Amino acid sequence: MLHIPRVTLFALVLMTLQLGFAQQPNAAASKPDSPSTKPPAKTKVVKDAADAKPKLTPDQVLGHQTLELAESQARGLEAPMRCYSLLQIAVAYAASDQPKARKLLQDAFSASLAIQDDDQAKSDLQNDIFRVLLPISQSDVEERLVQAEPDARRQASQVIIGNYVQKKQFDKAMDLIQQVTSWDEFPYGAAASLLDALPPEMNAEKQSLFASAVASYRVHEHNKGRVTFGADLTAMVTRFGESMPPKLAREAIDEILSQARKADDNFAITAGGSGGSASFSSLYEFQLFALLPLLRKLDESGAQHLLEENATLRATMDKYPDGIDSVMPMTPAGKDGQPPRRNSSFSVTNKNAGGKAASDMAIRQEIQRRTDLILQLAETDATQAIAQASMLPVMLGNPRAYGQAPRATTLEALARLTMKKNPTAANSALSELRKATKDLPLGNQARHLATAANLYLQMEDVDRAEDVVGEGLSVAGKMLDIDINPDDPNKALKAWWPSTNAYRQFVEIETRISHPATAKLLQEIKDPEVRTVESIMFARTLLAAPMKQFKVVSRTKHGSDTDNFGER
């Protein structure tokens, strides 16, 4: 392979990018002093070393120039893609140029307000904007809460309330809680952290917050079988109910149980924690389990009557007499000021699924057992382990775009385990992995090929990595054909298309191999908006700011499917 020095490639890369951008519709007019044509600025003599800015690397220079071109193009896109693109460019600037990032995020939020006919995309984008903007300018987020979608407003408000609590700015926290409650339902989780932090002399304020929580719960429905213990009224009652006026605590319990009786009872619930686990046949049964210890203190006879009505709960209460506190005991307050909390897990299953769910679970458990044995065998006989991995099922369950692929996943794990101590075995595992991908759905093919290319790069086998990238790009192209199928196009935001995610993975890898090849790759993407997104991914990789979390959405006449990947 011919490797050309990167510094000399800037003009070539930027010319190729500009050629691709010029083919896109709605593009903003090119500036006469754009980065690729503007003469280099005269070097300024720095008299004070303290004023000197860190010298940019060639990759950083190219990354910034590419972002400027991408920003120019992004501002000419329709609102949804304009919003997404400006957000991603802002993330690339967040660490090095916060004023620039702040302006881009403000513009991204403005673009989100113009999104029509896709409330979910609007909300998700605003969530991401607020998440990035909060550390830069909390005041900017607060100013925009009233305009935001309910979920984005709720999540950002909870973070802001937590910030106020940490700084002991209790009045501001209470004011924001009141404001949130006027827009939507009371923010139970954030208010719980405030109740924990308020000093004893503010007992009246504590009772007022608790009463507001009960009042808000009463005017909202909670009958969908959702279990969100820890950020709901039940958690507040179990944590603070004993310190409230008995009448108020009893009102809260009665309201929770009343609504739970009306809830969808097609769901079975399993709750677990450091104290054990317990199963419940309905949301009502779970809520009664959580609240019964407090109810006994408030009304012993009433609690006993409810327990007699629910005979199936008696054995569970005998085993865990303190209810939630037995299963999920509170951890002590942290030394860093963190309030006490519960470590918990929940599993909610449809009771109607019954036998099939149990059968599927048994199959998955058996495959996991075999996989564990194969990985153990790799320590002593990697060749045999690879052979056994190649006999695992290709797919499990419904072959969704990102379903479980035991064979490919186990071969990946074997390659990782052996790549340092036994490169020959790692190469063999990767060879089998490449064969295994051919029988997978396209989304799985792209994901596993990207992993294989990354592993080859870690093993410094650039040629094989390039070969796999080529295979992956072919898969990404097929996925794009499906997304743009005129008979049944993907109506989700293009930035979240399966094909966009596939291209992203290979753009990031190819950027680490060859800038000119990446520029050529970008030019060959047939959809102009996808091309713009991928140029931003190219720049982010150059700036060591690759995507850490991403969404993949398919929305066609055959149904919708959403997957979330990465860190949260």
Side-chain angles (χ1 to χ4, degrees):
M1 173 183 288
L2 177 63
H3 292 279
I4 306 173
R6 290 185 175 182
V7 177
T8 64
L9 296 175
F10 288 177
L12 173 60
V13 173
L14 290 171
M15 284 175 61
T16 308
L17 287 172
Q18 285 181 306
L19 177 61
F21 291 159
Q23 298 169 353
Q24 302 184 33
N26 301 320
S30 299
K31 299 178 182 179
D33 58 347
S34 62
S36 59
T37 59
K38 185 177 179 179
K42 294 181 180 179
T43 303
K44 180 181 179 181
V45 177
V46 180
K47 296 181 180 180
D48 188 346
D51 295 333
K53 293 183 180 179
K55 185 177 179 181
L56 297 180
T57 66
D59 275 8
Q60 289 171 330
V61 172
L62 179 55
H64 286 141
Q65 291 175 331
T66 305
L67 285 178
E68 289 188 28
L69 289 170
E71 180 186 345
S72 174
Q73 179 61 26
R75 291 189 180 278
L77 300 177
E78 295 297 322
M81 286 296 288
R82 182 168 76 253
C83 174
Y84 178 89
S85 299
L86 294 176
L87 165 63
Q88 296 307 325
I89 296 169
V91 174
Y93 281 115
S96 61
D97 189 346
Q98 288 199 349
K100 172 76 170 175
R102 180 184 178 188
K103 180 62 169 65
L104 286 161
L105 291 166
Q106 291 170 345
D107 292 347
F109 183 82
S110 296
S112 76
L113 299 177
I115 296 174
Q116 300 177 354
D117 304 323
D118 196 341
D119 290 342
Q120 187 61 57
K122 186 175 184 178
S123 179
D124 290 348
L125 287 167
Q126 289 179 350
N127 255 323
D128 289 341
I129 291 167
F130 285 164
R131 177 176 51 80
V132 180
L133 184 55
L134 265 169
I136 297 173
S137 176
Q138 180 173 303
S139 62
D140 279 356
V141 176
E142 291 193 59
E143 288 174 13
R144 289 162 176 77
L145 286 177
V146 69
Q147 297 175 282
E149 293 296 292
D151 185 63
R153 186 167 56 205
R154 185 183 311 116
Q155 293 198 38
S157 297
Q158 288 174 351
V159 176
I160 295 170
I161 292 166
N163 290 343
Y164 282 138
V165 170
Q166 273 194 326
K167 297 174 182 176
K168 299 190 182 302
Q169 296 176 326
F170 300 136
D171 288 344
K172 289 185 176 181
M174 287 188 287
D175 287 346
L176 184 53
I177 286 174
Q178 287 185 340
Q179 195 173 10
V180 171
T181 306
S182 71
W183 296 329
D184 197 10
E185 190 166 0
F186 186 90
Y188 305 104
S193 66
L194 176 58
L195 285 170
D196 259 316
L198 287 174
E201 60 268 23
M202 297 186 71
N203 193 51
E205 286 81 358
K206 289 184 180 182
Q207 292 182 18
S208 177
L209 278 172
F210 196 92
S212 294
V214 177
S216 180
Y217 192 91
R218 185 177 291 115
V219 298
H220 289 86
E221 292 186 357
H222 308 85
N223 59 357
K224 303 300 182 183
R226 284 187 65 194
V227 181
T228 56
F229 188 85
D232 64 352
L233 181 60
T234 304
M236 282 189 68
V237 173
T238 59
R239 177 79 177 90
F240 304 103
E242 194 170 354
S243 64
M244 295 294 154
K247 182 180 178 182
L248 180 58
R250 183 60 194 265
E251 284 179 12
I253 292 173
D254 289 346
E255 184 61 36
I256 293 169
L257 294 179
S258 174
Q259 290 203 31
R261 284 182 185 275
K262 305 171 187 175
D264 185 345
D265 64 355
N266 288 328
F267 296 94
I269 300 164
T270 299
S274 59
S277 65
S279 296
F280 309 94
S281 61
S282 67
L283 178 61
Y284 174 77
E285 192 173 287
F286 167 75
Q287 298 282 35
L288 183 57
F289 172 77
L291 297 168
L292 203 56
L294 175 60
L295 185 57
R296 280 173 171 162
K297 296 176 182 178
L298 299 172
D299 181 0
E300 176 66 32
S301 62
Q304 187 60 33
H305 175 70
L306 289 176
L307 189 56
E308 289 172 357
E309 285 184 345
N310 293 269
T312 57
L313 191 58
R314 290 180 192 172
T316 306
M317 290 304 303
D318 288 341
K319 184 177 180 181
Y320 301 112
D322 292 327
I324 284 295
D325 284 334
S326 293
V327 175
M328 311 168 190
M330 296 290 293
T331 63
K335 294 181 180 179
D336 56 355
Q338 290 297 317
R341 63 189 185 88
R342 302 181 193 272
N343 291 321
S344 61
S345 64
F346 288 94
S347 172
V348 181
T349 56
N350 191 321
K351 289 187 287 189
N352 297 331
K356 185 178 185 308
S359 175
D360 288 347
M361 179 61 71
I363 293 172
R364 294 177 192 280
Q365 289 175 341
E366 172 59 19
I367 294 299
Q368 186 60 56
R369 186 189 69 83
R370 289 172 59 186
T371 298
D372 291 342
L373 291 174
I374 290 169
L375 297 180
Q376 292 175 20
L377 178 61
E379 297 291 335
T380 56
D381 191 343
T383 301
Q384 184 60 28
I386 293 168
Q388 291 188 18
S390 299
M391 299 298 292
L392 289 171
V394 173
M395 288 291 296
L396 279 183
N398 184 27
R400 296 167 58 243
Y402 293 92
Q404 289 187 312
R407 184 183 301 179
T409 302
T410 306
L411 288 166
E412 279 182 11
L414 288 172
R416 286 194 178 93
L417 279 174
T418 58
M419 60 189 293
K420 292 183 178 178
K421 295 182 179 179
N422 191 346
T424 301
N427 273 312
S428 178
L430 289 173
S431 177
E432 290 299 316
L433 171 61
R434 291 167 72 178
K435 295 176 187 176
T437 61
K438 298 183 186 303
D439 296 321
L440 295 173
L442 292 175
N444 287 84
Q445 287 187 39
R447 186 172 62 175
H448 290 296
L449 287 173
T451 299
N454 269 312
L455 291 174
Y456 276 130
L457 274 186
Q458 291 178 43
M459 296 167 65
E460 299 183 352
D461 191 339
V462 178
D463 289 336
R464 280 199 176 98
E466 281 246 75
D467 289 343
V468 177
V469 168
E471 295 171 21
L473 290 174
S474 176
V475 171
K478 294 176 184 177
M479 295 171 72
L480 182 57
D481 287 340
I482 293 172
D483 281 327
I484 63 177
N485 176 11
D487 295 326
D488 189 17
N490 188 348
K491 296 183 179 179
L493 184 71
K494 286 186 179 182
W496 296 335
W497 279 0
S499 58
T500 306
N501 180 55
Y503 275 119
R504 175 194 59 78
Q505 296 175 82
F506 298 111
V507 165
E508 289 180 353
I509 297 166
E510 190 62 50
T511 301
R512 292 152 54 197
I513 299 173
S514 166
H515 294 174
T518 309
K520 184 173 183 294
L521 180 169
L522 292 170
Q523 187 183 1
E524 291 176 352
I525 297 174
K526 65 178 71 174
D527 186 276
E529 292 181 312
V530 174
R531 190 185 312 134
T532 297
V533 170
E534 302 305 347
S535 72
I536 298 169
M537 298 306 114
F538 170 57
R540 287 187 56 166
T541 305
L542 289 168
L543 297 170
M547 292 278 284
K548 292 185 178 180
Q549 52 184 267
F550 42 93
K551 182 189 297 287
V552 179
V553 184
S554 181
R555 191 182 304 146
T556 67
K557 62 186 179 184
H558 297 295
S560 293
D561 190 26
T562 300
D563 289 281
N564 293 287
F565 299 95
E567 303 171 8
R568 301 303 297 175

